[in-house]
Amino acid sequence: MAENKLEIKVMQDSTERVVELNSMSPEAAIAFSKIITALAEIVANTPGAEGINIGLIRGSAAAVAGGTTDQINAINNCFEEVVKNQCTINEVVSPWRDIQALFKSNGLYYEASFKIENKSIPIYSKIKENKKFITKTPREKREYELCFYKGELSQAGGNNPNLHIKVDSQERPLIIDCSPASAKKATRFLYENIMISAWKHGQKGNPKYCDTYANETQFKELELFIEKYNKIESKVDALIFLHDKCVELIKFNEFKTLRKLMRLFDHDSIDINEVKTILVVTKSFKDFDDIDLTRKSLLQLFNQKIPSKSK
Amino acid sequence: MFKLDNLFKSTSTSLPANFIAAAVELNSAGEAIHAGILFSADGHKHLLHFNGSVYLEDDSFEDWYVSKYFEVIPPSVASAFFVHSLLIKRDSTPKFGFYFPGSFYQEGQYHAPQKKWEYMTCVGFCLNVIASFVEGDMYLNYKDWDVGNFEGPEDYIRETLELIKRGDPEADEHLIIRDIRRITPDEYLASAFFDQLPISKSTIDTIINTIRAKLTEIAKGGIAA
């Protein structure tokens, strides 16, 4: 039967003796106990590795996690993500980091390898020479989703102001809640095509109006931006993407589109880092007509989100 | 409010997952010899500093730093600060010199009255980074420092003047001298205690001797890791 396992061995201690289980130096014993603990945590927390047991090899200070091909592949695949700092599970990254810290410290020597269907994959050098493993921060799940709609505006206003938009494929008009001022502004599109963005809170209630777009190019540009922005998995990469978009609009003097972009982030559900990123990149242009009011609104939102003393 | 206990070591094991702090490296006598910005975004600690080149180090930096959270920067924006640092690391090209004209880094670009005079000390670099990140127009009232109260050998002034002139032979000497200044690493650390911008030298002077005494004590083993 094919052998599948992850094995980590304490090879020699600092006096270059072979490490044996029945007589270890204190430093080897400490290292070995850390390895067993880390291995147990890796097995317990790696998705797809359920059911794997840990064992020791008689005579030598080697800890082994053995299982089926699928189980060991699951650990190996997750390990590859950890190496690339792409793994978001802290309970997996942390024990691999502990193993890495052992390998990086001087004095003891180790061997580490996967065996999958009898094929050996050494991993000691990869672990030792890599930069410190860190858990990738995933994007936080948003409570609200920004959606883009276009269709014929069939109604605007009412006692609880809203917009009724006949979206092509749907029988019933979409109802978007809005402020009286927004309903009044939207009336110029009555019985015509309107393009808007709105905040949707799951299935709860009607979406809440965000902004209107008179220009299809701008509407599509922002819709596409948000679509790509939402797909970015890492928080930092998303902020860089947002920053770069603002810089691009500034570079081409597209301050009207920049204003529209900024308004998409003027909502209570937005993370404070997103607001701050926009504030930093637009600081030099804070008095520009096209964006000054929107920027002030974002600054107000920012100040509301932080404790009173640090502004 | 000034509380000396708010100084901490960068090697502390009980640091929060998000923070941004002024950081200084001490010599064995407790003098602050280098400055940087220590920050952590979602548990990932980094040190941004300028030592001839810009370094954005991860958790493995070996020297320890005495630090103070910036009162003017909320810890919740540490991720945005990380992005700010990445861009500066990517795009800036500072050179060493005792020069600070009220400049700042924005989108990694150096903004100053004379763009090509991108000279600064380790402290000047930190101030340039912070200046564009905070909302106020100025972080430090940098004009409070000048060649008149320059802390350091007079040779530094002459060398900085010669350095900038070498890079820009047409430069007006008076313009250069006007912005030659030295804000020391411990003054930079002291600035982190204040939250009303811009921070003046006289404000910093109210606590600087206390800070210096504390740093001496720390160098002798005053704060546990």
Side-chain angles (χ1 to χ4, degrees):
Chain A
M1 198 164 90
E3 199 181 10
N4 300 287
K5 62 180 179 174
L6 167 60
E7 183 177 299
I8 302 176
K9 203 190 280 193
V10 186
M11 284 296 293
Q12 292 168 299
D13 61 21
S14 55
T15 63
E16 304 211 349
R17 285 186 303 146
V18 172
V19 175
E20 288 174 2
L21 260 187
N22 60 357
S23 174
M24 291 190 274
S25 65
E27 60 181 339
I30 290 169
F32 188 54
S33 80
K34 283 182 179 173
I35 286 172
I36 298 176
T37 304
L39 201 57
E41 284 172 12
I42 288 166
V43 160
N45 295 298
T46 299
E50 299 83 10
I52 291 181
N53 287 323
I54 315 280
L56 308 183
I57 294 180
R58 192 189 295 273
S60 66
V64 179
T68 64
T69 307
D70 284 347
Q71 285 170 330
I72 302 302
N73 261 329
I75 300 189
N76 186 32
N77 291 339
C78 200
F79 167 69
E80 288 299 329
E81 292 215 317
V82 170
V83 164
K84 288 182 265 185
N85 285 335
Q86 293 298 304
C87 181
T88 55
I89 310 169
N90 195 47
E91 292 79 12
V92 169
V93 177
S94 183
W96 277 115
R97 189 167 53 230
D98 291 341
I99 291 171
Q100 185 187 44
L102 280 176
F103 289 6
K104 281 181 183 283
S105 57
N106 291 323
L108 289 173
Y109 299 84
Y110 304 88
E111 249 183 28
S113 59
F114 280 97
K115 205 165 200 178
I116 300 179
E117 293 189 333
N118 295 326
K119 187 179 159 209
S120 179
I121 308 167
I123 58 171
Y124 170 72
S125 301
K126 201 183 245 190
I127 293 172
K128 183 175 164 135
E129 283 150 27
N130 210 296
K131 283 184 88 169
K132 188 169 168 180
F133 296 148
I134 52 176
T135 311
K136 181 169 141 175
T137 310
R139 298 281 291 284
E140 276 155 26
K141 223 173 163 320
R142 288 189 190 285
E143 216 185 318
Y144 286 82
E145 187 194 346
L146 190 60
C147 297
F148 290 79
Y149 303 107
K150 62 178 176 181
E152 187 191 298
L153 181 66
S154 57
Q155 208 170 304
N159 288 331
N160 296 313
N162 54 41
L163 310 177
H164 288 220
I165 299 176
K166 280 187 195 166
V167 178
D168 285 338
S169 51
Q170 290 167 20
E171 268 185 45
R172 303 173 77 177
L174 186 62
I175 301 175
I176 310 283
D177 289 347
C178 63
S179 66
S182 300
K184 215 169 161 182
K185 264 192 188 169
T187 52
R188 70 185 171 108
F189 292 102
L190 214 39
Y191 309 121
E192 289 176 12
N193 270 334
I194 192 172
M195 292 173 286
I196 66 155
S197 54
W199 289 100
K200 212 162 100 168
H201 191 196
Q203 301 304 320
K204 295 182 198 171
N206 295 326
K208 305 274 182 290
Y209 173 81
C210 173
D211 207 352
T212 308
Y213 308 92
N215 170 335
E216 176 130 24
T217 309
Q218 191 184 70
F219 174 77
K220 282 198 166 133
E221 181 178 357
L222 292 171
E223 186 183 30
L224 186 61
F225 168 78
I226 292 293
E227 194 184 310
K228 286 183 178 173
Y229 182 70
N230 287 341
K231 282 186 179 147
I232 299 171
E233 287 181 6
S234 142
K235 189 170 170 179
V236 167
D237 288 346
L239 292 175
I240 293 175
F241 187 71
L242 172 60
H243 168 276
D244 287 350
K245 183 65 182 175
C246 293
V247 167
E248 178 198 307
L249 293 172
I250 290 169
K251 196 169 150 187
F252 291 107
N253 274 323
E254 292 184 37
F255 286 93
K256 288 185 167 36
T257 306
L258 178 60
R259 179 179 70 232
K260 293 293 192 184
L261 175 68
M262 288 163 73
R263 284 174 67 168
L264 297 177
F265 289 84
D266 194 359
H267 190 264
D268 207 46
S269 68
I270 293 293
D271 181 85
I272 192 174
N273 288 283
E274 294 170 298
V275 181
K276 185 59 170 168
T277 297
I278 295 174
L279 288 173
V280 170
V281 75
T282 56
K283 187 179 164 184
S284 292
F285 311 97
K286 63 182 178 183
D287 297 321
F288 274 41
D289 283 342
D290 283 334
I291 65 165
D292 62 343
L293 292 176
T294 306
R295 192 180 187 278
K296 281 193 175 101
S297 182
L298 277 177
L299 185 56
Q300 203 172 0
L301 176 66
F302 175 76
N303 286 332
Q304 279 162 11
K305 282 178 172 290
I306 56 172
S308 55
K309 71 178 176 92
S310 294
K311 306 253 159 132
Chain B
M1 195 170 74
F2 175 56
K3 282 168 73 175
L4 211 51
D5 287 348
N6 288 340
L7 289 174
F8 64 92
K9 263 191 185 176
S10 57
T11 44
S12 166
T13 49
S14 58
L15 297 178
N18 291 288
F19 69 84
I20 303 154
V24 297
E25 190 188 347
L26 305 184
N27 64 13
S28 54
E31 291 158 336
I33 52 170
H34 184 52
I37 300 172
L38 180 77
F39 66 96
S40 177
D42 293 327
H44 304 149
K45 205 162 75 177
H46 298 273
L47 181 73
L48 176 70
H49 63 119
F50 171 61
N51 204 0
S53 298
V54 175
Y55 294 92
L56 178 56
E57 306 205 51
D58 65 17
D59 211 352
S60 55
F61 54 90
E62 286 177 3
D63 301 310
W64 57 267
Y65 286 71
V66 177
S67 311
K68 166 70 183 77
Y69 304 133
F70 284 106
E71 289 295 317
V72 294
I73 306 178
S76 50
V77 295
S79 294
F81 187 80
F82 184 29
V83 170
H84 186 60
S85 303
L86 285 168
L87 294 164
I88 286 167
K89 165 88 178 95
R90 187 185 73 185
D91 296 332
S92 68
T93 51
K95 298 170 279 296
F96 190 85
F98 291 96
Y99 182 76
F100 189 79
S103 43
F104 56 90
Y105 278 113
Q106 183 143 16
E107 296 101 64
Q109 303 301 310
Y110 181 66
H111 291 251
Q114 301 291 334
K115 257 186 95 108
K116 43 186 180 167
W117 301 352
E118 194 179 341
Y119 297 93
M120 59 200 74
T121 60
C122 57
V123 171
F125 174 76
C126 294
L127 296 176
N128 281 325
V129 171
I130 296 296
S132 57
F133 195 73
V134 296
E135 192 57 27
D137 288 331
M138 273 199 291
Y139 175 66
L140 281 195
N141 209 18
Y142 63 96
K143 289 185 181 175
D144 289 346
W145 289 262
D146 58 31
V147 290
N149 58 23
F150 191 98
E151 277 197 47
E154 278 204 19
D155 281 352
Y156 288 176
I157 300 175
R158 187 179 43 77
E159 281 166 16
T160 298
L161 182 60
E162 283 168 8
L163 174 69
I164 296 177
K165 283 219 77 166
R166 263 202 305 277
D168 188 2
E170 307 295 309
D172 179 339
E173 280 193 13
H174 292 108
L175 266 182
I176 301 174
I177 289 172
R178 188 189 68 180
D179 287 318
I180 290 181
R181 49 182 49 92
R182 184 170 187 236
I183 298 153
T184 59
D186 45 25
E187 286 173 317
Y188 158 70
L189 180 69
S191 76
F193 281 90
F194 301 103
D195 63 359
Q196 298 299 313
L197 301 186
I199 301 165
S200 66
K201 187 176 192 307
S202 57
T203 301
I204 287 175
D205 284 347
T206 59
I207 64 169
I208 193 64
N209 289 331
T210 313
I211 297 271
R212 284 174 177 159
K214 185 66 180 176
L215 295 181
T216 308
E217 187 193 312
I218 290 168
K220 291 180 188 160
I223 302 182

